[in-house]
Amino acid sequence: GAQKTWSFRLQQPQDKVSVTAGGTLTLNCTISGDGPLGPVKWLKGWGSENKTIYDQTGTFPRVTRVVNGSNTDFSIRMRDVQPEDMGTYYCVKFDKGVNRAPVIFAHGKGTEVSLYEAALDPGMVAVVVVLCLLLLLLGLFLAVYMYWRKHRDQAGSQCLARPVPMGSFLPVPLRCCAGTPGTPSQVLDAETSHLPSQPSSKEDNDIHYADLQPLPTAPWHGRSPGTACSEYASVRVAAK
């Protein structure tokens, strides 16, 4: 008999599709017109190496129909896509015939599926940049503060005194004091420092000399207002 002419048309519009790992892949396929009896399946690969990804009678946990029960829309949705899912997918219409195994009646041109790296959200990038700048500024501030505090503590603990010669004695480095030195020794001014003091008791056989010379005001602000550094030393020599 004459061969029947079918007005069947299968459309698989996607050439390439990219998806992130773990994402959801949607593959589109629609049919129209009259065609022979037989299922519509999705195959991965072609020829003897093909693998059935979805058909109307099997069970496929990760693959579902986009429009359940439709006779024209055979688009599918695959969730949790993994690298091994990459490849080319074909939407295929089979002709079941009578008393024979189904044969391919029509198929789409194939959709190539690939993975791509997820793009960073511009908003998240801006937040990360701002946080990095804040951390950098905080670290710089802490470094400056620690340096200032260390310098202040060193300056507050002592003044750097210069050696002052006294008579024929070797120079003695003098430490800084605030105000008048609190010592029990008799203090003489600079003009009479070389003269012996008034006679003292028999128990006191030492002569005390002192040289009080005000120092210039130090260029730091750690000292309390109204105090000044001066040089003071007590030299003890045996009385003749």
Side-chain angles (χ1 to χ4, degrees):
Q3 185 176 3
K4 186 175 180 180
T5 302
W6 304 98
S7 60
F8 182 85
R9 186 178 180 184
L10 184 149
Q11 293 180 311
Q12 185 180 350
Q14 299 160 296
D15 293 327
K16 295 181 179 181
V17 175
S18 294
V19 63
T20 58
T24 300
L25 170 67
T26 300
L27 297 174
N28 297 324
C29 177
T30 59
I31 63 174
S32 59
D34 295 329
L37 294 176
V40 174
K41 300 182 180 182
W42 277 93
L43 306 179
K44 179 185 177 184
W46 195 253
S48 60
E49 301 298 327
N50 71 76
K51 177 182 178 182
T52 300
I53 299 300
Y54 177 82
D55 66 32
Q56 296 167 279
T57 59
T59 301
F60 305 90
R62 293 194 299 136
V63 182
T64 57
R65 290 276 298 273
V66 174
V67 182
N68 289 324
S70 175
N71 293 323
T72 57
D73 191 340
F74 289 88
S75 301
I76 61 173
R77 186 178 291 116
M78 179 187 296
R79 62 179 180 83
D80 192 22
V81 177
Q82 300 300 318
E84 56 268 22
D85 295 322
M86 301 302 96
T88 302
Y89 291 75
Y90 297 88
C91 181
V92 182
K93 167 66 176 177
F94 286 86
D95 181 1
K96 185 175 181 180
V98 179
N99 297 326
R100 61 186 175 88
V103 295
I104 294 175
F105 177 76
H107 63 83
K109 56 186 178 180
T111 300
E112 183 181 350
V113 177
S114 61
L115 283 179
Y116 71 89
E117 296 295 333
L120 294 177
D121 184 6
M124 293 299 297
V125 173
V127 171
V128 171
V129 171
V130 171
L131 289 177
C132 290
L133 290 177
L134 289 177
L135 290 176
L136 181 62
L137 290 176
L138 179 60
L140 181 61
F141 172 78
L142 290 177
V144 172
Y145 173 75
M146 295 301 295
Y147 174 80
W148 170 81
R149 184 172 180 178
K150 181 179 179 181
H151 180 72
R152 185 194 66 177
D153 292 343
Q154 290 178 347
S157 62
Q158 63 179 8
C159 299
L160 296 178
R162 63 179 182 274
V164 178
M166 296 183 183
S168 60
F169 294 97
L170 294 176
V172 179
L174 301 181
R175 299 179 65 83
C176 179
C177 61
T180 304
T183 81
S185 304
Q186 182 178 1
V187 179
L188 304 179
D189 59 22
E191 296 180 356
T192 62
S193 63
H194 63 284
L195 298 177
S197 60
Q198 298 297 325
S200 59
S201 63
K202 295 180 180 180
E203 288 78 6
D204 187 2
N205 294 324
D206 294 335
I207 299 176
H208 299 269
Y209 294 88
D211 185 10
L212 294 177
Q213 297 180 2
L215 294 178
T217 303
W220 53 274
H221 304 285
R223 190 184 306 114
S224 302
T227 62
C229 286
S230 62
E231 297 176 349
Y232 171 78
S234 176
V235 180
R236 309 180 70 180
V237 297
K240 295 182 179 179

